[in-house]
Amino acid sequence: MKLKNLLMTLTVTTTLGTIGMISTQAHAASSHPVYRLYNPNTGEHFYTENFYEQKVLSTNGWRYEGIGWQTADSGTPVYRVYNPNAKGGDHYYTMSRYEAQSLVNKGWRWDNNGKAAFYSAGNTNLYVAYNPNAQSGAHNYTTNSYEQNSLLAQGWKYGKVAWKTMGNGSPAPTAPVTPKKVDVNVTGVGGIEQNIPGSYRLLYSNKPFDLANLPGVPTIEFSADVSLTGSSSDYENQFVIAGNAGNGSGQVGVELHYQAGNDSNFGQGRINVTTINFPAGAGTSGQQFYSVKTDAPRVANGQSVKLQVKYYDLGYMQAFVNGVLVGQYKTKLLPGGNTYILHDYTNATSNIRNIKVMKNGKVVNPVTQGSNPLISQTFTNKTLVAAY
């Protein structure tokens, strides 16, 4: 997988650096499509009006997502610049030639030889959102207000009209990704591990969130800065809130997980972000599940990220990475004596610090290990456990 990713990066860089945009003679009120592509290995979206360029990228690992919008043949120029120093590379689009030139002066490169990539004209807004936690794919451009608002709700910033277009695009048809059976023969009721032949949990790719108007204050919240370092073909860190009323009381959380392979739908070949949802009393034939969020903030081996898990006793959980919502699902945890179990597990090496626990919006006593506050710890093949 590492070799394949490297080949893809080299090929795409060469493609973007050598293929010029096909210019079109200006005609009044005429337009043509801008194609939208996604790189599952870097998290970047790329936009081009060059059909041939779209086809080349689609055969080099980029995922074609359809028509992003309709662009005019003339109007105010929109420039595209490329940052070769960002991990995976990154493109930025702006109507300001001064801004583009300033970035070029700082090491960015002109795309399309400094000529306009698109033109701003028309009556349809094109929105931009900024992800402060990303290097590659830090900006998203869309005419879809629902997509824009969803990104802002997940922690993206800025949220303004970037320029005008001649009309909306149309997404490419996508086939649903079949979930995988995992934890086969070892899944017990409500989150426990048990030898049950034929039992399993499901692993989803980007399972849609369960929408709800949740109160601002969760029943319990567990957060910390966590890093994961490993070198095997399968390693993980699970950051979990569990029920505390005996076996099968439920578990919810977020997982940093590396698994070798090349299936980008499940984030293989890199550390992916996965939501854990094992509701209390849930059965053993797929009622418990994991969901990989392929467009979650990227996490490097050894990188520290802020993990947050929230549980609302009206029956929902949320998971966040660096402030970005990566999972929201219906669930159920059963506390014992109004307490929950918090645990952090790794089968590799992890460092955990700045641990914080809140119940009903109030900070509770510091997490302790024995009688000492647990401020920071590096641990290998171990589980840290506390009850609150």
Side-chain angles (χ1 to χ4, degrees):
M1 180 62 187
K2 289 184 178 178
L3 178 60
K4 181 175 181 181
N5 281 349
L6 178 60
L7 290 174
M8 174 181 163
T9 301
L10 290 175
T11 303
V12 169
T13 300
T14 302
T15 299
L16 296 181
T18 59
I19 295 178
M21 304 295 295
I22 297 177
S23 60
T24 307
Q25 295 297 320
H27 299 284
S30 61
S31 65
H32 54 275
V34 171
Y35 306 104
R36 170 170 158 155
L37 301 104
Y38 175 70
N39 187 333
N41 293 309
T42 66
E44 182 188 12
H45 281 98
F46 181 73
Y47 313 89
T48 178
E49 61 180 9
N50 187 325
F51 179 77
Y52 176 69
E53 185 174 30
Q54 178 266 123
K55 284 296 185 182
V56 171
L57 293 178
S58 295
T59 60
N60 282 277
W62 291 69
R63 186 183 302 158
Y64 176 60
E65 293 190 339
I67 296 172
W69 63 87
Q70 298 290 334
T71 188
D73 289 336
S74 61
T76 303
V78 176
Y79 303 100
R80 187 176 70 202
V81 290
Y82 173 68
N83 184 358
N85 299 310
K87 188 174 182 180
D90 191 35
H91 292 85
Y92 179 66
Y93 306 76
T94 178
M95 287 195 299
S96 170
R97 187 173 182 87
Y98 175 81
E99 181 182 25
Q101 184 63 61
S102 296
L103 291 173
V104 170
N105 294 342
K106 294 179 180 179
W108 292 58
R109 298 174 184 169
W110 285 108
D111 258 9
N112 199 33
N113 296 318
K115 299 177 182 178
F118 319 115
Y119 291 98
S120 175
N123 298 315
T124 302
N125 290 336
L126 185 136
Y127 305 99
V128 59
Y130 169 66
N131 184 349
N133 300 305
Q135 291 191 48
S136 183
H139 293 83
N140 187 75
Y141 301 85
T142 181
T143 59
N144 187 322
S145 59
Y146 176 80
E147 178 184 9
Q148 174 78 349
N149 291 333
S150 296
L151 292 176
L152 297 178
Q154 293 177 32
W156 290 58
K157 308 296 183 184
Y158 198 54
K160 293 186 177 182
V161 175
W163 62 83
K164 295 285 189 175
T165 74
M166 298 294 289
N168 294 315
S170 55
T174 57
V177 178
T178 302
K180 298 180 179 182
K181 290 183 179 181
V182 296
D183 298 345
V184 176
N185 299 328
V186 295
T187 297
V189 172
I192 64 174
E193 304 301 310
Q194 190 174 359
N195 184 14
I196 301 179
S199 65
Y200 62 90
R201 298 183 175 109
L202 287 176
L203 173 64
Y204 288 91
S205 171
N206 300 302
K207 182 176 174 63
F209 294 174
D210 294 328
L211 302 180
N213 292 319
L214 299 177
V217 177
T219 305
I220 186 164
E221 175 182 346
F222 183 25
S223 66
D225 296 323
V226 178
S227 66
L228 173 65
T229 304
S231 58
S232 69
S233 61
D234 195 329
Y235 57 92
E236 64 190 1
N237 181 290
Q238 295 182 340
F239 192 77
V240 171
I241 300 175
N244 193 23
N247 288 339
S249 297
Q251 298 184 42
V252 298
V254 61
E255 176 181 37
L256 304 179
H257 186 198
Y258 176 87
Q259 185 179 48
N262 58 10
D263 191 340
S264 61
N265 288 317
F266 294 94
Q268 291 182 345
R270 61 180 175 84
I271 294 178
N272 65 58
V273 172
T274 300
T275 297
I276 300 168
N277 188 18
F278 308 159
T284 62
S285 55
Q287 293 83 2
Q288 306 170 49
F289 66 85
Y290 306 88
S291 180
V292 178
K293 191 80 165 66
T294 57
D295 62 350
R298 292 303 169 110
V299 182
N301 194 10
Q303 177 187 356
S304 180
V305 293
K306 184 177 182 179
L307 304 183
Q308 289 174 281
V309 181
K310 300 180 182 181
Y311 172 68
Y312 298 82
D313 61 10
L314 54 77
Y316 284 87
M317 62 81 62
Q318 291 181 322
F320 298 81
V321 175
N322 283 343
V324 176
L325 181 68
V326 297
Q328 177 174 295
Y329 301 105
K330 295 179 181 178
T331 195
K332 184 177 182 180
L333 298 180
L334 297 177
N338 197 34
T339 63
Y340 297 85
I341 296 174
L342 312 178
H343 76 256
D344 187 72
Y345 159 79
T346 186
N347 62 354
T349 298
S350 288
N351 176 268
I352 186 168
R353 56 190 178 83
N354 298 325
I355 303 171
K356 187 176 182 180
V357 180
M358 300 183 71
K359 293 185 73 173
N360 299 309
K362 297 181 179 180
V363 177
V364 298
N365 294 329
V367 176
T368 60
Q369 187 172 33
S371 59
N372 299 315
L374 182 56
I375 299 173
S376 175
Q377 179 168 328
T378 299
F379 55 103
T380 301
N381 298 323
K382 185 177 180 181
T383 303
L384 302 180
V385 181
Y388 282 89

